């Protein structure tokens, strides 16, 4: 089954979205020019989610990718709720009071976020009242706690992540008289999601990461070449500090059973995640909630089993690791992506491909054939392909799409092979997941002039 180039393009472009930050009105010029995002499913339905929004009551822009597991329910809930928790955590006391007074007197609320959404990015209308009530309880507590100090962004991000995870857990324990909602809150809590979120405000870039999605900065060196700077660390068995952290939190007697076959308790790849109450609640609480829950929950094998060697929960946290970076004029873009991208591409290649795409300049590097014996005919083919590749850059109007094209279609020479791309995109649903994961990418482009000016002011 062979897809034509237009068919390939229509599959690749189905979920693409671009946003350009509006030109300034003489003030508040943004350090962000805009962003491109895209998703390519491997699971049906896709378990990844993405979000982008401008904070209206504080300065700054929020962008995030969310990778769900055991279903998409948790990733969906986090993608529509987390930014509200972050925005509320950043609001000054008087704004929180204003919002609370408006709710009490039934007046219209100040809008907190302006969302930048693709038509496919869905919001669950049925749960909006429940979600709003949990959020309101949070800001009421923040009002009562008022310390009078301005909020530190790092602290706000950590608090927002932990609080949302706590609310997801609480909503599932309390349940809901509406049977649809009751099943929804339980599905959200029993599935899981990782999150990698960026908050950009002027030259201050904060990355809050929970799990194994990643943030990477694309830097243009003085000679025009591109390099990659990691702005997050994967929370999994490959990260020694993370393995140590988990071991420190449990008795020595559990040391051998905590991480097995590179998974938490032999089951979970990420060592931090939202939801996943199977790794957080006591056995008694799990049994009580499942037994009193709707029948559909009992039919779900995942909710019934208890992880092996489950002695001292919680084994999992949603607390993010936050990295702060001051933007410099040579920092040209940020890539946020779920692990579906990083499994197939090295960050250095990601930096080069996006950098060349955004600048339209190709450093014609000598063709590397890495130890392969290549005939003149094959070499001619590679050079012809390179010429075609330069023109193919212009068929993508979106940097994230361009990156997905490479992630799925690259051959051993690092060039997009149409035949490979066609094969990978025409795999039936049940096979696709064996070859790759869902891929979700946001590419944020920075405004070097604004960043330079901000630097000078500082």
């Amino acid at each position: 089954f062979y897809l034509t180039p237009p068919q390939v393009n229509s599959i690749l472009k189905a979920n693409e979205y671009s946003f350009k930050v509006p030109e300034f009105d003489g003030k508040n010029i943004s350090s962000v020019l805009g962003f491109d995002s895209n998703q390519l499913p491997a699971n049906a339905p896709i378990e990844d989610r993405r979000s982008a929004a401008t904070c209206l009551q504080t300065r700054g822009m929020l962008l995030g990718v969310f990778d769900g597991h055991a279903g998409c329910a948790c990733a969906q809930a986090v993608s529509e709720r987390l930014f509200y928790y972050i925005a509320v955590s950043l609001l000054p006391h008087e704004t929180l009071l204003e919002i609370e007074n408006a709710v009490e007197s039934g007046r219209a609320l100040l809008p907190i976020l302006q969302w930048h959404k693709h038509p496919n990015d869905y919001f669950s209308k049925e749960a909006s009242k429940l979600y709003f009530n949990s959020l309101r309880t949070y800001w009421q507590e923040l009002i009562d706690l008022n310390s009078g100090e301005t909020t530190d962004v790092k602290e706000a991000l950590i608090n927002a992540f932990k609080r949302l995870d706590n609310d997801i857990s609480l909503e599932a324990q309390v349940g809901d008289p509406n049977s649809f909602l009751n099943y929804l809150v339980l599905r959200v809590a029993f599935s899981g999601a990782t999150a990698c979120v960026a908050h950009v405000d002027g030259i201050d870039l904060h990355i809050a990461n929970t799990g194994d999605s990643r943030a990477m900065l694309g830097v243009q060196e003085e000679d025009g070449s591109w390099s990659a700077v990691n702005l997050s660390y994967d929370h999994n068995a490959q990260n020694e500090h993370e393995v140590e952290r988990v071991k420190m939190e449990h008795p020595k007697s559990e040391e051998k059973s905590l991480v097995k076959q590179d998974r938490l308790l032999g089951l979970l790849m990420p060592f931090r995640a939202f939801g996943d109450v199977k790794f957080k609640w006591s056995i008694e609480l799990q049994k009580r909630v499942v037994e009193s829950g709707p029948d559909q929950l009992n039919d779900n094998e995942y909710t019934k089993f208890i992880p092996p060697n489950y002695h001292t929960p919680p084994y999992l946290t949603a607390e993010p690791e936050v990295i702060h970076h001051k933007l410099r004029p040579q920092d040209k873009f940020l890539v946020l992506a779920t692990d579906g991208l990083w499994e197939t591409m090295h960050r250095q290649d990601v930096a080069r491909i996006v950098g060349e795409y955004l600048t339209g300049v190709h450093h014609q590097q000598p063709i590397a054939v890495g130890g392969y014996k290549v005939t003149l005919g094959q070499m001619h083919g590679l050079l012809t392909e390179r010429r075609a590749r330069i023109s193919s850059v212009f068929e993508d109007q979106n940097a994230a799409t361009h990156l997905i094209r490479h992630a799925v279609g690259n051959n051993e020479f690092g060039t997009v092979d149409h035949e490979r791309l066609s094969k990978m995109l025409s795999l039936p649903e049940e096979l696709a997941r064996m070859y790759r994961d869902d891929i979700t990418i946001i590419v944020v482009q920075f405004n070097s002039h604004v960043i330079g000016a901000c630097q000078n002011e500082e």
Side-chain angles (χ1 to χ4, degrees):
F1 184 60
Y2 195 69
L3 300 171
T4 63
Q7 286 172 319
V8 164
N9 283 345
S10 76
I11 293 171
L12 288 179
K13 293 169 189 262
N15 297 310
E16 68 179 13
Y17 178 84
S18 293
F19 175 76
K20 295 275 169 279
V21 172
E23 283 298 309
F24 64 100
D25 51 1
K27 62 176 193 298
N28 200 13
I29 313 169
S30 175
S31 55
V32 174
L33 282 171
F35 69 86
D36 290 341
S37 82
N38 201 350
Q39 292 189 298
L40 184 67
N43 292 295
I46 185 169
E47 293 183 345
D48 279 5
R49 293 292 184 272
R50 59 180 164 181
S51 295
T54 302
C55 297
L56 295 173
Q57 305 305 325
T58 55
R59 290 174 34 204
M61 194 169 197
L62 285 165
L63 306 112
V65 294
F66 311 95
D67 187 351
H69 46 265
C72 58
C74 188
Q76 175 60 43
V78 174
S79 73
E80 57 185 280
R81 300 179 71 180
L82 180 58
F83 287 6
Y84 282 114
Y85 280 72
I86 294 171
V88 162
S89 307
L90 288 167
L91 289 177
H93 186 247
E94 52 277 18
T95 313
L96 289 172
L97 276 175
E98 236 176 284
I99 291 173
E100 176 55 26
N101 292 337
V103 177
E104 270 188 16
S105 58
R107 293 197 315 274
L109 280 188
L110 287 171
I112 297 177
L113 295 173
Q114 177 196 350
W115 290 91
H116 310 300
K117 294 205 328 244
H118 185 277
N120 296 355
D121 298 340
Y122 137 100
F123 266 41
S124 47
K125 307 226 176 5
E126 306 82 10
S128 57
K129 191 160 188 275
L130 170 77
Y131 290 172
F132 178 79
N133 289 339
S134 293
L135 182 69
R136 184 183 179 189
T137 305
Y138 178 42
W139 81 55
Q140 286 170 336
E141 284 175 29
L142 289 174
I143 290 171
D144 294 343
L145 284 170
N146 173 33
S147 58
E149 292 167 23
T150 52
T151 318
D152 171 61
V153 177
K154 178 176 178 174
E155 205 179 319
L157 288 162
I158 292 171
N159 292 344
F161 272 63
K162 285 163 71 173
R163 176 59 182 233
L164 173 57
D165 192 52
N166 197 47
D167 283 355
I168 285 170
S169 172
L170 212 60
E171 288 156 4
Q173 290 172 48
V174 172
D176 196 280
N178 170 329
S179 61
F180 173 82
L181 274 182
N182 197 27
Y183 186 43
L184 176 79
V185 295
L186 289 164
R187 269 183 33 227
V188 168
F190 277 95
S191 58
T194 68
C196 188
V197 170
H199 179 265
V200 195
D201 178 5
I203 57 172
D204 288 300
L205 168 63
H206 285 84
I207 301 291
N209 182 51
T210 288
D212 52 9
S213 293
R214 275 185 212 166
M216 182 213 92
L217 199 59
V219 180
Q220 191 164 29
E221 305 299 342
E222 282 183 2
D223 65 357
S225 65
W226 295 94
S227 64
V229 177
N230 268 354
L231 288 181
S232 67
Y233 299 102
D234 294 357
H235 299 133
N236 58 22
Q238 272 62 58
N239 179 339
E240 287 168 28
H241 296 292
E242 195 59 11
V243 175
E244 276 313 300
R245 177 189 67 79
V246 171
K247 286 182 177 169
M248 293 287 291
E249 291 173 3
H250 299 278
K252 198 132 183 67
S253 56
E254 292 186 57
E255 205 166 14
K256 289 200 164 48
S257 58
L258 280 171
V259 179
K260 281 192 157 170
Q261 281 137 2
D262 281 352
R263 292 168 181 256
L264 190 63
L265 297 182
L267 296 168
L268 198 62
M269 289 284 272
F271 284 17
R272 302 191 195 195
F274 283 91
D276 280 320
V277 293
K278 306 278 321 155
F279 296 84
K280 294 172 180 171
W281 289 356
S282 68
I283 293 175
E284 299 73 49
L285 179 57
Q286 290 190 39
K287 286 188 169 148
R288 181 172 67 72
V289 170
V290 172
E291 278 161 17
S292 62
D295 295 340
Q296 299 110 299
L297 203 62
N298 283 314
D299 303 339
N300 183 339
E301 284 308 304
Y302 182 69
T303 56
K304 279 221 278 273
F305 83 95
I306 301 288
N309 304 304
Y310 198 76
H311 309 298
T312 53
Y315 288 90
L316 191 63
T317 177
E319 180 168 335
E321 194 170 4
V322 179
I323 289 180
H324 174 228
H325 174 83
K326 286 251 185 239
L327 289 169
R328 309 157 301 171
Q330 63 265 41
D331 299 332
K332 300 298 182 188
F333 61 88
L334 171 74
V335 177
L336 298 172
T338 54
D339 62 349
L341 174 69
W342 310 110
E343 283 165 4
T344 60
M345 290 188 84
H346 189 272
R347 64 175 182 271
Q348 200 48 55
D349 294 328
V350 170
R352 181 183 54 79
I353 287 164
V354 175
E356 288 181 355
Y357 169 82
L358 291 176
T359 52
V361 175
H362 286 262
H363 276 279
Q364 289 288 26
Q365 289 167 339
I367 281 193
V369 289
Y372 291 93
K373 285 198 166 65
V374 178
T375 64
L376 269 177
Q378 287 169 318
M379 185 53 99
H380 175 72
L382 284 171
L383 288 166
T384 318
E385 202 171 300
R386 171 147 87 179
R387 191 174 310 135
R389 181 164 90 241
I390 292 171
S391 62
S392 89
V393 167
F394 304 109
E395 69 187 349
D396 290 324
Q397 257 76 69
N398 179 303
T401 308
H402 189 63
L403 204 43
I404 289 176
R405 189 183 297 276
H406 278 269
V408 179
N410 265 4
N411 60 16
E412 65 271 31
F413 301 119
T415 60
V416 175
D417 175 346
H418 177 75
E419 197 172 328
R420 180 183 162 79
L421 194 55
S422 166
K423 280 181 184 157
M424 290 295 280
L425 293 179
S426 58
L427 288 171
E429 281 167 1
E430 60 278 7
L431 274 181
R433 187 61 192 87
M434 293 163 67
Y435 286 91
R436 59 178 181 81
D437 197 353
D438 296 330
I439 299 175
T440 298
I441 300 171
I442 300 177
V443 179
V444 187
Q445 208 180 339
F446 295 123
N447 188 332
S448 306
H449 300 298
V450 170
I451 289 167
C454 289
Q455 258 189 341
N456 296 338
E457 281 170 27
E458 291 213 341

